[in-house]
Amino acid sequence: YGIKIQSSSPAIIVKGKSASHTIIKWFNVQSNGNGIVVTDSDFVRIINNEISTKGNGIIATGTTYLNITKNDINKNSKSGIVIGNVTSTYIFNNNIKSNGANAIEVAKSNKVYIHGNTINNNKKNGIVFKKLSTALIMVQDLKMFISPKIQSPKMKRMLF
């Protein structure tokens, strides 16, 4: 990874419409708080980063078109990825391991696509959906769970 960022909280902030179209690529993110925080910015790409923090790895709210691809999101004290109130989010081909809570949390979001991720050894759940989120999880991703931990009453009815 190219640039190492060590910070208190958060290490990288992408905020507001003027920060739309931001690309965060090739960083080694370490923080005493959250790693990357995206708020009210559209068309943001988080690609090929290594993220390990004492908070959540990635947090995104109020965002349209968010792409989180090919990151190592490991050993965060809280969750790996937390998204809320987002539309058209792609979470593809990430390694999300050994986080203190959930690998991925999705709340009040639409058109969330989760595919090709390696998710294991997270303390709580693999993927958690809250408050009527709509998402598509590719079936082959479920094979990557030793025991599929997907928490959502709606998803349980659909998958199990």
Side-chain angles (χ1 to χ4, degrees):
Y1 297 93
I3 299 171
K4 183 175 184 177
I5 296 179
Q6 291 181 301
S7 174
S8 22
S9 177
I12 298 173
I13 300 171
V14 179
K15 186 174 182 178
K17 295 299 178 196
S18 63
S20 293
H21 299 279
T22 295
I23 299 171
I24 301 167
K25 188 173 183 178
W26 296 111
F27 286 96
N28 179 344
V29 179
Q30 297 177 3
S31 173
N32 287 326
N34 296 316
I36 299 171
V37 177
V38 179
T39 307
D40 299 323
S41 299
D42 299 330
F43 300 96
V44 175
R45 292 186 285 169
I46 302 171
I47 304 167
N48 287 98
N49 299 286
E50 185 176 303
I51 304 165
S52 181
T53 71
K54 292 187 178 170
N56 294 298
I58 298 170
I59 298 178
T61 58
T63 299
T64 300
Y65 188 81
L66 174 66
N67 183 333
I68 302 171
T69 301
K70 295 184 180 177
N71 298 284
D72 287 322
I73 306 168
N74 303 317
K75 298 180 182 174
N76 294 283
S77 295
K78 295 183 179 177
S79 291
I81 299 171
V82 178
I83 59 173
N85 194 29
V86 299
T87 301
S88 299
T89 297
Y90 301 85
I91 302 173
F92 286 6
N93 301 315
N94 298 285
N95 292 312
I96 310 170
K97 302 176 186 175
S98 303
N99 293 292
N102 303 301
I104 301 170
E105 294 181 30
V106 180
K108 293 183 182 178
S109 297
N110 293 302
K111 299 179 184 173
V112 178
Y113 304 93
I114 301 170
H115 177 68
N117 298 285
T118 301
I119 298 172
N120 57 35
N121 295 324
N122 296 284
K123 284 200 177 173
K124 291 188 178 178
N125 298 289
I127 303 170
V128 177
F129 293 94
K130 301 176 181 178
K131 300 180 183 173
L132 300 175
S133 297
T134 60
L136 174 64
I137 302 172
M138 300 299 180
V139 174
Q140 62 265 38
D141 283 355
L142 295 179
K143 295 176 187 174
M144 294 184 188
F145 292 93
I146 293 170
S147 60
K149 287 185 172 182
I150 298 177
Q151 185 184 63
S152 168
K154 192 181 230 181
M155 290 298 291
K156 284 181 184 174
R157 284 196 300 272
M158 290 171 42
L159 295 173
F160 303 104

